[in-house]
Amino acid sequence: MPTSQKKFFTALAPMRDITNRQFCDLFTNYGEPDFYVTEFLRVHLTSKIDTNIEDFLLNRQSKNPIFIQLLGHEPNEFVRIAEQLAHLGASGIDLNFGCPMPKICKKGTGGMLLTEPAAIERIVSALKENSRLPISAKIRIGFSDDSNFDEILRILNKYDLFCVTVHARTVRGLYREPVNYEYVKYAKELLNCPVLANGEINSAEQAINVIHSTGCDGVMIGRAAIRNPYIFSQIKSLIQRKPVQQVTFQNIEHYIDHLMQIAENSVHNEQSQVCLMKKYLNFIGQSIDENGEFLYHMRRTSSKSELIQVIKNYISAMGQRLLHDGPYPNLLARPNCE
């Protein structure tokens, strides 16, 4: 098991409609990651800094680094936006070379760039030459196969990057394909910069196992952090061989109260608040009961009062019982509005 003698990094992964300032501020209560990566900002000829990104940079509670993820194709536009972000106080730029969303890939951005290593180099080179901000990159192992993986790693290795995060699936594999952490191990052996593992890391114990088996420098966690906000502090406790926070249903009830406050502050009408809460609860619900009864009833609510009652029935009633560590098998998160 890794020890505290070496520095290991944890990061909150970028998640669309999730990693805004309000959600990230929550981790100041539960244990923060070492740095945050925002949901992607599209970069193109007429792009501007999103108001949510400005809010994140100017009003955040956390003092930990904030990397703004950029998604696009034109190197000059990356440089232009990076300079604006530097003035706003961004800690760094994260480059999205792995988004699997079809509408993103159709535009030649995100994961589609893995089919065009030369385009990746043009973007990285332009930023390294013209931006004062540290640069990180988030990649998958390839678009439909790993045929370009070596070349892309060798390109990234030519530049002094802050880190490279490897989501160990193909783009076409979306989130269904099994994760192969051997690619993380290979990247760590080849790259000079820190390497973070990403993909299906569902618990603190699993994070430690991945760090140990791959030799990587840390983990980037997304959906598991929605499910369990203590996961970053749990990972640090395991690394430092300290007692680990045990998460109870009462802990999760208080966390859901915080999420409800985010929903109420983010959107004004009740239906939108319920939809946003369902987005969070679809992930939390994977650890509530193995038969999926909470998910079944939660997804069928249409009002805040109905939603609160389901939470009382399945979460509040469990009190100090321990939450399941990770998702139960065969329970899938689904869209927030049904």
Side-chain angles (χ1 to χ4, degrees), residues 225-241:
I226 305 174
R227 191 180 305 115
N228 170 18
Y230 295 93
I231 193 167
F232 297 114
S233 66
Q234 290 175 328
I235 292 169
K236 290 175 183 177
S237 294
L238 286 173
I239 289 172
Q240 297 168 2
R241 300 186 178 181

Side-chain angles (χ1 to χ4, degrees), residues 95-99 110-111 113-114 120 123-124 137-140 156:
L95 300 174
N96 184 324
F97 296 145
C99 179
L113 283 169
L114 298 174
I120 288 177
I123 293 168
V124 177
K138 188 170 188 289
I139 66 173
R140 289 196 175 214
L156 297 177

Side-chain angles (χ1 to χ4, degrees), residues 217-283:
D217 300 282
V219 292
M220 178 179 282
I221 294 177
R223 290 172 291 172
I226 305 174
R227 191 180 305 115
N228 170 18
Y230 295 93
I231 193 167
F232 297 114
S233 66
Q234 290 175 328
I235 292 169
K236 290 175 183 177
S237 294
L238 286 173
I239 289 172
Q240 297 168 2
R241 300 186 178 181
K242 294 180 178 180
V244 176
Q245 165 81 42
Q246 298 296 304
V247 183
T248 67
F249 278 83
Q250 187 176 74
N251 294 144
I252 293 301
E253 181 185 13
H254 293 159
Y255 167 55
I256 290 173
D257 288 341
H258 285 148
L259 293 174
M260 191 72 78
Q261 291 172 22
I262 290 177
E264 291 171 352
N265 292 331
S266 299
V267 289
H268 298 297
N269 67 77
E270 182 173 337
Q271 183 179 8
S272 296
Q273 291 172 9
V274 170
C275 286
L276 180 54
M277 284 303 300
K278 286 183 177 182
K279 184 181 289 288
Y280 301 129
L281 292 171
N282 264 292
F283 294 101

Side-chain angles (χ1 to χ4, degrees), residues 23-42:
F23 180 75
C24 293
D25 280 348
L26 285 181
F27 290 93
T28 60
N29 299 309
Y30 302 105
E32 294 192 81
D34 292 300
F35 67 99
Y36 298 86
V37 181
T38 67
E39 60 181 312
F40 63 72
L41 173 65
R42 288 183 175 88

Side-chain angles (χ1 to χ4, degrees), residues 2 6 8-10 197 206-219 235 239:
K6 178 182 175 180
F8 293 93
F9 296 93
T10 57
Q206 185 184 4
I208 297 300
N209 290 338
V210 170
I211 291 172
H212 179 68
S213 65
T214 65
C216 70
D217 300 282
V219 292
I235 292 169
I239 289 172

Side-chain angles (χ1 to χ4, degrees), residues 8-223:
F8 293 93
F9 296 93
T10 57
L12 180 66
M15 293 175 285
R16 190 180 180 192
D17 299 327
I18 296 289
T19 43
N20 55 25
R21 176 186 61 80
Q22 295 94 329
F23 180 75
C24 293
D25 280 348
L26 285 181
F27 290 93
T28 60
N29 299 309
Y30 302 105
E32 294 192 81
D34 292 300
F35 67 99
Y36 298 86
V37 181
T38 67
E39 60 181 312
F40 63 72
L41 173 65
R42 288 183 175 88
V43 173
H44 50 79
L45 185 63
T46 60
S47 60
K48 299 179 181 179
I49 305 299
D50 187 282
T51 55
N52 288 331
I53 299 296
E54 281 196 32
D55 178 52
F56 204 145
L57 292 172
L58 299 177
N59 300 311
R60 68 185 188 272
Q61 294 179 21
S62 175
K63 303 301 181 184
N64 288 3
I66 309 291
F67 276 58
I68 310 302
Q69 187 174 83
L70 301 184
L71 179 144
H73 195 276
E74 295 301 323
N76 291 339
E77 301 309 319
F78 277 86
V79 172
R80 177 177 64 84
I81 292 296
E83 187 60 23
Q84 294 177 26
L85 290 170
H87 285 298
L88 286 171
S91 307
I93 298 298
D94 184 71
L95 300 174
N96 184 324
F97 296 145
C99 179
M101 294 169 59
K103 66 180 181 180
I104 296 297
C105 292
K106 285 179 181 178
K107 296 180 179 179
T109 61
M112 185 59 73
L113 283 169
L114 298 174
T115 67
E116 198 178 351
I120 288 177
E121 180 155 25
R122 287 193 293 270
I123 293 168
V124 177
S125 175
L127 282 167
K128 291 300 293 184
E129 290 177 11
N130 298 286
S131 175
R132 50 187 158 150
L133 291 175
I135 307 298
S136 65
K138 188 170 188 289
I139 66 173
R140 289 196 175 214
I141 65 173
F143 187 78
S144 57
D145 56 45
D146 64 358
S147 57
N148 288 336
F149 191 59
D150 260 49
E151 183 179 0
I152 289 167
L153 291 180
R154 294 183 191 284
I155 287 171
L156 297 177
N157 209 33
K158 292 166 60 177
Y159 302 91
D160 182 24
L161 298 187
F162 177 80
C163 72
V164 172
T165 299
V166 179
H167 185 129
R169 291 182 171 109
T170 63
V171 172
R172 281 192 170 166
L174 299 173
Y175 299 96
R176 301 186 298 266
E177 185 177 85
V179 177
N180 187 342
Y181 297 116
E182 287 299 310
Y183 288 96
V184 177
K185 182 178 181 180
Y186 181 76
K188 175 57 186 172
E189 292 170 351
L190 186 65
L191 295 175
N192 296 322
C193 68
V195 173
L196 305 188
N198 176 240
E200 295 300 327
I201 298 174
N202 289 314
S203 69
E205 184 176 350
Q206 185 184 4
I208 297 300
N209 290 338
V210 170
I211 291 172
H212 179 68
S213 65
T214 65
C216 70
D217 300 282
V219 292
M220 178 179 282
I221 294 177
R223 290 172 291 172

